[in-house]
Amino acid sequence: MPSEVHRRSFLQLLALAGAGSVALPGLGLAEAGTGFPMVSQGKAATIVVGSGDFPGVRRVAGDLADDVERVTGVRPVVSADVVPREGPVIVVGTLGHSPLVDGLVAAGKLDVTGIAGKWETSLSQVVDGRLVLTGSDQRGVIYGVYEVSRRIGVSPWYWWADVPPRRQAELHLPRERFSLGTPHVKYRGFFINDENPALGTWAPAFFGPGQAPGFPNGFNHLFFAKVFETMLRLRANYLWPAVWGRAFAEDDPLNHATAKEYGIVMGTSHEAPMMRGIEEWNRHAVPAVRDAAGTITTPGHDPYGGTGEWSFRRNGEAIKAYWADGIRRMVREDFEGVVTLGMRGNGDVGLPDGDGIELMGEIIATEREILARETGRDLTTVPQVWTLYKEVQRYWAKGLRPPDDVIVVFTDDNWGNIRKMPDLSLPPHPGGYGLYYHFDYVGGGRNYKWVDTALLANTWEQLHQAAAYGNDRLWVANVGDMKGNELPLQFFLDYAWDPSALPVERLSTWERSFASENFGAALAADIAGVLHDYGRLQSRRKPELLNRRITLQADGTIAYDDQMTPFSLVNYGELDRVTQEWHDLAARAAKIGARLPAGYRDAFYELVGYEVEATANLYALRRAEFTNLLYAAQGRASANGLAAVTEARFADDLALAEKYNTGIAGGKWKGFQTQPHIDYGDIARYGPNAPWQQPELNNVALPDVIFPAVKRLDLPTAAAMGVAVDGSADAWPGAAGRPALPEFSPYQSAPPQYIDVFNRGRTPFRCQVSVAGAPWVRLEPRGGRVEEELRMTVRIDWARAPKGTTTVPITVSGAGGSVTVDAVVRNPAGPVRGFVEAGGYVSIEAEHCSANVGAADVAWRRIPDIGRTGAGMTPFPVTAASRPPGSGPRLEYRMTLFTTGPVTVWAYLSPRSNVLQGDGLRYAVAFDDAAPQVVNTTTATGADDTSMNRPWERTTSDNVNLTSTRHVVPAAGAHVLKFWMVDPAVIVQKLVVDTGGLRASYLGPPESVRCPW
């Protein structure tokens, strides 16, 4: 019987510590005297590696020695082939390529059952007193060695995030047989992209310029060596290299050789076929200019005697020769790669030759002819991929299928929503499926590339869906600069390695393990909590979009205002609330940072502190800025102070970046924190691309300025009273009509209503308040001295307030004027049950259902914190078949309504693309026993993730799919709102019943009061 293989990843080992105590990165170390003595009494085991083994294996043996020295201060000897006669020995070698390892197998001492012949599968075992670190292939060994490094206390981010090793004098490893197992996804990696200005500024300055003449900003092999090492420590194997003005093969002749040395599989992005980056064409070709009839008016040129055009139809022979050179280079330099097929237009756009499937079929066939000719190999042995990015998915939709051996990669919509899944009713594609996913993006509706904005719950749900649909051949994530996206990248790769180790219930365990590995166990739970809440808050809206309000107009058009906050300044205290949440989070992070040992503080700033503090500061800036603009329009004297606050927060933004660049890690990251994130939309400053593109001129990023600019008022000396009220941007005297406060209710969950009395001059005054005939209406304070402004909170003594609806006038007087404000007080009679209407609405978080009624083998399941304001509910399994309306699983929400007649139900859903084969994702909704109304969430919004139209920009930017249905409530009292699954992949976050008083806000009103049923 073969001996047992312990298939436990580092994540799984951490989880074994239990939910209550997440263990240190050293979990898996043994007690002295019981385990293998890696370092004992100041002496280290000798590391022996075969001189004829793979270069990556020989190299990683040296890394293991470096890591042991980092932890203990003792450096092991690395021996080529020679096993010392005395002392503990670590044997590092690949099955079939290491005589030392193969000899143990031949002698029956090392059982490789379940390892040999597998893909990237490791094995560690103590044999005859020696620790053997082996694997089925080169990367299997490398992953096993780096797993030892992680166990002894070296984080994968030790270099890229300056995480210090966990120092200890003795290292003893368990003697049990151990394997990481075989990865679920074969090719797992990422795309360094959108790298200007941050990485593009820092890397050439730190590692030296690129080697291509005239292109000093290229990334050289010293840079990529650090990337490759980190990839392997994270168990990645596949890279799309940077492309913004960079050409991997040209920027350093050693780049491909370095990838081979490390054992990395190279690829090229979706727009760069045949192992050639698009800049290799752009640097050497000048495209011809043609008139409307297609006649060349200005000749072009390229190195292949063509017209310089990136066009298969107009410059086909040159394009073919260019592709052939790429494959010849791959063969000549003998590096491992996955060849991208297909063709897109130059500059991440559609083909200039049209989108007929016949053309794309011809392109792929031609590429494969070149590939077969230049490699001389059976094409089924050459990994190839066709990525259905943006417009390319149309070819798939029209029926084009690549040859059976080609991997088909489905993609997300650039905002974390997968666009299509395989049709499970058809036989699977033999070449398998993959996934291209984004943690960074440049394009409409706006770039997001400053800080990590990923929500792990959202990422988990989409990766789970991909795995469930059989997408397991190749996964790649766009991670921008890589640095700054450490957490989502590691999560992505961990999930790709073993989805079964990460059910949704283990997300918090994973967060604690990430914190523990990088900062130790003592504060791991606190740090994980900050990271969790950071992702939750950040997912509401990308920080680059904090100065854009998107409005659906009455005529159905969508309007953008790039000089307005998306959060309401006047309703539900929304902007104040979200800003305070960020302030509180930053305070928590600062306290943790102060408690950490000094050696961890640089890493904490890089992985936690900067992104939390800088985003909190940005929210404070935007709050001051947009409140300034509102108050300036109202004529408030306090507007000027808010202008100064805005400028102070802008100075803080610059200071935080400067600390990152020069104040940590000895100035190692100088030039990195240079990404603009405030001046988006400033057309006057940098042109018509400003609504979506980062501030830049001539492709060079501009430093931020405050946009929109704040305003200062030239105030008169004399006092002049102004009044503003909760729920309105108007001010009196001056605005039309009589001000009225939002309706009061004993069941309201919204913040208390208020009246602001403010000065429009520089001389202070006193204000008085009178409430005629309603002593149960209370104001706190009840008037007083007004220098700049005075906020009076209005409350109701419900024990004394009359039943029914009463309008109470509140008169405010001061500085020679007076304003009367109406307070509408609704105090309903009778019993209430469930969620209770107040303020003209009922607001419900989807997870708080009264009943979750399953149907056959499908049920609604809670995904924690996936919503903008709470958890989400989605049908499981995610591969479930669609159901006729009213027959699928349903959620029920019991409530009390006082309003009768027409009401509107708003469904706040995650902005999922239509991954299925029909025309959209559907749900059904009804009150009580009424017939279900069916809503197609895709067609109702008009969002098109291929054309990337404005409705799509709206749903992705707002991170919600908002749809509505109209219903009639025949009688006041208790009712049940029912929400049915029709299609899987619908995630409901929140439901709001508008009975006539719903006010505009970004997140929707706070959840309603809930009474026992």
Side-chain angles (χ1 to χ4, degrees):
M1 293 289 290
S3 57
E4 180 188 2
V5 177
H6 292 269
R7 187 184 186 277
R8 294 175 181 169
S9 68
F10 175 68
L11 172 66
Q12 291 170 312
L13 286 167
L14 284 170
L16 290 178
S21 62
V22 177
L24 290 166
L27 180 68
L29 296 181
E31 296 293 330
T34 64
F36 174 82
M38 195 173 194
V39 175
S40 182
Q41 298 180 354
K43 295 182 179 180
T46 300
I47 301 171
V48 182
V49 63
S51 59
D53 214 321
F54 290 103
V57 173
R58 300 197 305 271
R59 192 202 58 77
V60 82
D63 276 2
L64 180 59
D66 292 342
D67 290 344
V68 170
E69 185 177 18
R70 288 184 179 104
V71 172
T72 65
V74 180
R75 182 171 184 83
V77 172
V78 179
S79 171
D81 301 318
V82 178
V83 179
R85 293 184 177 180
E86 296 182 353
V89 172
I90 301 173
V91 176
V92 177
T94 313
L95 288 175
H97 294 266
S98 168
L100 295 171
V101 173
D102 294 344
L104 293 172
V105 175
K109 296 181 177 181
L110 181 64
D111 180 8
V112 294
T113 302
I115 308 297
K118 298 289 186 179
W119 176 262
E120 298 181 344
T121 305
S122 66
L123 175 64
S124 66
Q125 184 174 338
V126 175
V127 179
D128 290 342
R130 300 169 182 170
L131 176 62
V132 179
L133 301 177
T134 186
S136 59
D137 51 27
Q138 174 179 211
R139 285 186 295 274
V141 180
I142 292 170
Y143 297 149
V145 171
Y146 280 140
E147 185 71 11
V148 172
S149 293
R150 294 178 76 167
R151 288 193 189 189
I152 67 175
V154 178
S155 165
W157 300 108
Y158 83 93
W159 195 89
W160 278 100
D162 301 301
V163 177
R166 180 171 171 263
R167 300 283 297 186
Q168 44 197 327
E170 298 267 324
L171 295 176
H172 298 263
L173 295 178
R175 296 177 179 273
E176 67 176 352
R177 193 167 187 260
F178 173 84
S179 175
L180 288 165
T182 302
H184 179 81
V185 177
K186 184 172 186 178
Y187 297 107
R188 311 162 308 282
F190 54 89
F191 183 13
I192 295 177
N193 191 27
D194 310 329
E195 66 271 13
N196 293 339
L199 193 66
T201 299
W202 171 80
F206 189 89
F207 292 103
Q211 302 302 303
F215 298 95
N217 289 326
F219 294 165
N220 62 32
H221 76 282
L222 300 174
F223 164 80
F224 279 109
K226 290 298 186 185
V227 173
F228 296 154
E229 178 191 337
T230 304
M231 290 176 66
L232 295 168
R233 288 180 182 269
L234 294 170
R235 296 196 296 275
N237 60 10
Y238 179 61
L239 182 72
W240 290 356
V243 297
W244 275 33
R246 295 176 175 86
F248 182 79
E250 292 187 354
D251 286 338
D252 190 336
L254 294 178
N255 276 345
H256 273 129
T258 304
K260 180 179 179 180
E261 176 189 355
Y262 276 74
I264 294 296
V265 183
M266 290 306 302
T268 50
S269 78
H270 48 79
E271 67 166 349
M274 300 297 277
M275 206 55 74
R276 301 205 74 170
I278 193 65
E279 283 302 307
E280 293 188 65
W281 180 266
N282 293 339
R283 287 179 179 182
H284 309 290
V286 176
V289 178
R290 297 177 185 262
D291 61 20
T295 303
I296 292 177
T297 58
T298 303
H301 61 83
D302 57 56
Y304 301 96
T307 65
E309 296 166 282
W310 183 253
S311 168
F312 190 76
R313 281 283 181 250
R314 292 176 165 174
N315 198 24
E317 294 308 310
I319 295 292
K320 294 173 190 176
Y322 170 79
W323 287 342
D325 268 358
I327 301 305
R328 290 191 198 107
R329 181 175 62 203
M330 182 179 75
V331 173
R332 182 176 65 252
E333 298 187 9
D334 190 31
F335 59 85
E336 191 175 357
V338 178
V339 178
T340 292
L341 300 181
M343 188 178 186
R344 300 186 65 227
N346 198 332
D348 198 8
V349 296
L351 277 177
D353 304 320
D355 61 358
I357 64 173
E358 297 81 7
L359 172 62
M360 185 56 67
E362 182 183 350
I363 288 171
I364 292 175
T366 300
E367 290 168 335
R368 284 171 60 83
E369 289 171 7
I370 294 170
L371 194 57
R373 182 183 72 237
E374 299 300 334
T375 64
R377 292 167 55 184
D378 178 353
L379 286 185
T380 62
T381 69
V382 181
Q384 303 150 69
V385 62
W386 185 38
T387 302
L388 307 182
Y389 184 60
K390 288 187 177 177
E391 81 290 340
V392 181
Q393 187 170 295
R394 290 175 179 154
Y395 300 109
W396 181 267
K398 291 178 180 179
L400 180 62
R401 299 293 182 266
D404 284 351
D405 54 290
V406 176
I407 303 168
V408 174
V409 171
F410 294 101
T411 73
D412 73 349
D413 64 351
N414 302 293
W415 292 74
N417 305 289
I418 298 174
R419 298 174 62 207
K420 192 63 65 178
M421 290 294 179
D423 186 346
L424 296 181
S425 69
L426 299 176
H429 174 65
Y433 304 105
L435 174 65
Y436 174 40
Y437 198 78
H438 285 74
F439 297 120
D440 165 282
Y441 172 60
V442 167
R446 185 164 286 177
N447 300 1
Y448 62 90
K449 47 185 300 207
W450 173 43
V451 290
D452 163 29
T453 57
L455 174 65
L456 288 191
N458 186 80
T459 303
W460 178 88
E461 191 276 333
Q462 290 290 272
L463 299 186
H464 169 79
Q465 189 177 98
Y469 274 85
N471 295 10
D472 62 4
R473 203 60 53 91
L474 183 152
W475 285 13
V476 61
N478 184 331
V479 295
D481 302 309
M482 187 174 84
K483 185 170 178 62
N485 274 317
E486 296 92 343
L487 182 143
L489 171 57
Q490 184 169 330
F491 181 83
F492 179 88
L493 294 171
D494 278 355
Y495 197 90
W497 184 271
D498 185 4
S500 68
L502 272 171
V504 70
E505 296 82 8
R506 299 277 288 279
L507 288 181
S508 60
T509 300
W510 188 93
E511 289 167 330
R512 289 196 302 274
S513 73
F514 179 88
S516 180
E517 182 172 24
N518 291 301
F519 303 108
L523 294 173
D526 292 341
I527 294 171
V530 167
L531 288 170
H532 176 88
D533 287 342
Y534 171 83
R536 178 178 58 83
L537 295 179
Q538 199 70 279
S539 72
R540 290 172 173 171
R541 193 170 189 84
K542 306 297 185 186
E544 290 87 346
L545 279 161
L546 291 180
N547 67 324
R548 170 175 285 177
R549 177 172 291 183
I550 304 176
T551 306
L552 182 64
Q553 307 288 81
D555 63 359
T557 60
I558 293 171
Y560 290 169
D561 185 346
D562 285 343
Q563 299 189 50
M564 178 56 74
T565 171
F567 298 100
S568 179
L569 285 157
V570 297
N571 291 326
Y572 310 118
E574 187 173 57
L575 182 57
D576 289 346
R577 270 191 301 121
V578 296
T579 303
Q580 186 63 46
E581 286 181 279
W582 276 104
H583 175 272
D584 294 345
L585 183 66
R588 285 165 55 196
K591 288 181 180 179
I592 294 169
R595 293 170 61 195
L596 278 170
Y600 284 105
R601 289 179 185 168
D602 287 350
F604 185 79
Y605 194 70
E606 295 172 52
L607 291 174
V608 184
Y610 174 78
E611 64 183 12
V612 172
E613 188 175 355
T615 306
N617 183 72
L618 180 60
Y619 269 79
L621 184 156
R622 292 301 193 194
R623 181 198 176 277
E625 173 188 35
F626 289 114
T627 307
N628 159 266
L629 296 177
L630 172 64
Y631 285 9
Q634 294 175 339
R636 298 197 195 198
S638 58
N640 293 344
L642 288 165
V645 171
T646 304
E647 291 161 351
R649 298 293 77 75
F650 183 73
D652 288 345
D653 181 87
L654 299 179
L656 290 166
E658 183 62 16
K659 177 180 176 180
Y660 201 116
N661 289 329
T662 62
I664 60 171
K668 174 179 176 180
W669 302 106
K670 184 177 181 180
F672 184 86
Q673 203 53 254
T674 49
Q675 176 62 52
H677 47 276
I678 296 173
D679 192 32
Y680 279 91
D682 193 350
I683 294 174
R685 185 178 184 221
Y686 67 101
N689 287 340
W692 65 270
Q693 180 61 283
Q694 68 183 8
E696 64 176 31
L697 285 174
N698 301 317
N699 296 318
V700 177
L702 295 171
D704 269 320
V705 296
I706 297 172
F707 180 80
V710 293
K711 295 181 179 179
R712 284 182 165 85
L713 302 178
D714 185 10
L715 298 169
T717 300
M721 185 184 75
V723 172
V725 299
D726 184 23
S728 175
D730 291 330
W732 292 264
R738 181 157 153 167
L741 291 165
E743 182 181 272
F744 291 79
S745 169
Y747 305 106
Q748 85 176 46
S749 58
Q753 291 85 332
Y754 61 83
I755 299 172
D756 280 349
V757 183
F758 58 86
N759 200 343
R760 285 172 164 161
R762 287 183 287 161
T763 301
F765 66 90
R766 294 195 65 83
C767 75
Q768 297 81 36
V769 178
S770 64
V771 183
W776 38 270
V777 176
R778 298 174 177 174
L779 285 84
E780 302 170 1
R782 194 179 180 98
R785 179 181 171 87
V786 180
E787 294 189 2
E788 288 190 339
E789 59 191 4
L790 177 70
R791 174 161 291 185
M792 299 184 294
T793 302
V794 184
R795 302 181 188 275
I796 307 299
D797 182 350
W798 293 106
R800 300 171 62 193
K803 296 296 184 182
T805 301
T806 308
T807 299
V808 179
I810 302 172
T811 300
V812 182
S813 303
S818 66
V819 174
T820 299
V821 179
D822 285 337
V824 179
V825 181
R826 189 178 191 184
N827 190 12
V832 294
R833 297 186 295 172
F835 293 97
V836 184
E837 177 188 349
Y841 66 87
V842 176
S843 178
I844 306 170
E845 296 297 331
E847 63 178 309
H848 297 150
C849 54
S850 308
N852 184 344
V853 183
D857 55 349
V858 187
W860 290 90
R861 185 173 178 184
R862 178 180 180 271
I863 308 295
D865 290 328
I866 199 170
R868 299 188 306 174
T869 54
M873 302 293 288
T874 192
F876 260 63
V878 295
T879 55
S882 299
R883 296 292 198 272
S887 67
R890 71 180 184 272
L891 301 168
E892 294 185 353
Y893 301 91
R894 297 171 181 173
M895 66 188 68
T896 297
L897 299 177
F898 306 116
T899 302
T900 61
V903 300
T904 301
V905 174
W906 291 96
Y908 293 65
L909 312 174
S910 294
R912 292 297 185 246
S913 297
N914 177 24
V915 297
L916 306 179
Q917 310 311 310
D919 65 349
L921 302 179
R922 299 164 297 167
Y923 68 86
V925 62
F927 272 105
D928 303 321
D929 296 324
Q933 296 185 41
V934 179
V935 178
N936 185 317
T937 66
T938 310
T939 59
T941 60
D944 186 332
D945 57 26
T946 299
S947 67
M948 301 171 72
N949 58 4
R950 275 215 169 184
W952 170 84
E953 289 185 354
R954 178 192 177 212
T955 60
T956 52
S957 296
D958 289 352
N959 198 25
V960 72
N961 180 305
L962 192 58
T963 54
S964 66
T965 49
R966 293 282 285 171
H967 307 260
V968 175
V969 176
H975 296 275
V976 178
L977 180 66
K978 300 175 182 178
F979 192 94
W980 283 273
M981 167 204 163
V982 178
D983 293 317
V986 170
I987 303 173
V988 56
Q989 303 179 6
K990 184 186 189 90
L991 295 168
V992 176
V993 181
D994 179 8
T995 61
L998 183 66
R999 292 179 277 149
S1001 64
Y1002 180 67
L1003 298 173
E1007 188 171 35
S1008 297
V1009 168
R1010 188 179 189 181
C1011 296
W1013 191 261

